[in-house]
């Protein structure tokens, strides 16, 4: 196996590109995919400030590293979700990464600042933890960006994540979600722009990127996500990819390029006519936003001691 660019021995092959790369050309390939995603979708303009949501995992650390390498002004944001040792270790990894490079990392601790954690929220809502977790993340990524004047929130969603979410949305024809599933969600009053610059890279590639760059990342996945629907979709998509290299990329890129716009009316309507939450001032359709309602619900269940 030889590098497609320089013919030196390759360290990694990417079947869907029908190509192999040496270390340096693989790293360049990754940066080029990210540069291209940013450019094609106008994700970040010159001079804009970016906050990268960093979980301590491979994707978000690779993303932060690449954005800095491409010359962007990018700070980090870590949310302490209170998922036992998993959260302790991921926070530590994110902090070390930032400290070693002299980068700024914002930290928000759910329990310390909002009085609940994800296991508590799951118990109070009698739902899978990922629902409360996703809601808390979306709310706080945006709230921190607005509070600190960032133009853009970048997350580490990769090709595998996007393919799994897309499959889930298509299987249930969630037209509103399909309208909002895009590498860029534009800014709106009360909302920073949301971007996913890694949507062209698979998780095998982001893991290899970290290893080849010597980035120490949290290998363990969230223990509460075990058995959730998305992991099932990922298995199905991996089986498809095994039979037909490039299936995931064709599924996601085809949606982004040719189908997404057919669903934007369904999504757009939901963002219009929003008022401000009476508790936290975030945009919401009702009086109290979903995040504040979740907080209230967990607090009332835990009783007066909290
Ligand atoms: P997940 O929802 O776990 O698939 O993560 C998707 C993206 O959300 C990651 O790539 C990160 O950018 C971000 N993210 C996940 N967990 C955290 C966290 N605890 N703190 C900050 N960002 C996170
Ligand atoms: Fe959200 Fe595990 S990261 S439930
Ligand atoms: Zn090479
Ligand atoms: Zn609120």
């Amino acid at each position: 196996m030889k590098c497609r660019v320089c013919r030196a021995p390759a360290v990694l092959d990417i079947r869907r590109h029908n190509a192999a790369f040496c270390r340096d050309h693989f790293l360049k390939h990754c940066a080029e995919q990210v540069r291209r995603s940013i450019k094609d979708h106008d994700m970040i303009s010159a001079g804009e400030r970016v906050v990268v949501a960093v979980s301590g995992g491979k994707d978000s650390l690779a993303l932060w590293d690449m954005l800095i390498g491409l010359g962007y002004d990018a700070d980090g944001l870590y949310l302490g979700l209170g998922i036992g040792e998993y959260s302790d270790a991921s926070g530590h990894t994110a902090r070390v990464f930032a400290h070693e490079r002299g980068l700024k990392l914002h930290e928000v601790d759910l329990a310390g600042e909002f009085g609940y954690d994800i296991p508590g929220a799951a118990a109070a809502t009698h739902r899978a933890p990922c629902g409360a977790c996703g809601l808390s993340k979306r709310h706080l990524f945006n709230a921190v960006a607005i509070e600190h004047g960032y133009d853009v929130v970048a997350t580490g969603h990769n090709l595998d994540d996007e393919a799994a979410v897309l499959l889930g949305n298509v299987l249930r024809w969630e037209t509103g979600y399909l309208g909002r599933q895009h590498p860029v969600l534009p800014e709106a009053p009360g909302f920073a722009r949301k971007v996913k610059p890694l949507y062209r890279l698979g998780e095998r590639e982001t893991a290899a990127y970290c290893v080849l760059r010597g980035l120490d990342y949290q290998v363990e996945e969230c223990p509460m996500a075990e058995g959730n629907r998305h992991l099932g979709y990922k298995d199905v998509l991996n089986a498809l990819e095994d039979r037909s290299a490039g299936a995931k990329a064709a599924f996601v890129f085809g949606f982004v390029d040719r189908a997404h716009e057919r669903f934007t009316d369904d999504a757009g309507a939901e963002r219009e006519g929003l008022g401000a939450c009476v508790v936290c001032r975030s945009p919401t359709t009702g009086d109290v936003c979903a995040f504040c309602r979740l907080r209230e619900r967990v607090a009332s269940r835990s009783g007066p001691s909290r």
Side-chain angles (χ1 to χ4, degrees), residues 139 277 279-282 289 292:
H139 176 88
C277 167
V279 183
C280 75
R281 312 300 305 157
S282 292
C289 76
C292 291

Side-chain angles (χ1 to χ4, degrees), residues 81 83 86 118 129-130 133 137 222 224-225:
L81 302 168
I83 307 175
Y86 166 75
I118 297 303
C130 302
C133 180
K137 284 179 193 162
C222 170
M224 304 204 78

Side-chain angles (χ1 to χ4, degrees), residues 265-284:
D265 287 350
D266 293 51
E270 291 173 22
R271 270 187 154 196
E272 278 166 22
L274 296 178
C277 167
V278 296
V279 183
C280 75
R281 312 300 305 157
S282 292
T284 175

Side-chain angles (χ1 to χ4, degrees), residues 6-23:
C6 70
R7 314 305 297 162
V11 293
L12 197 95
D13 74 314
I14 308 179
R15 271 180 66 213
R16 74 169 186 284
H17 291 303
N18 203 9
F21 295 100
C22 70
R23 175 186 180 277

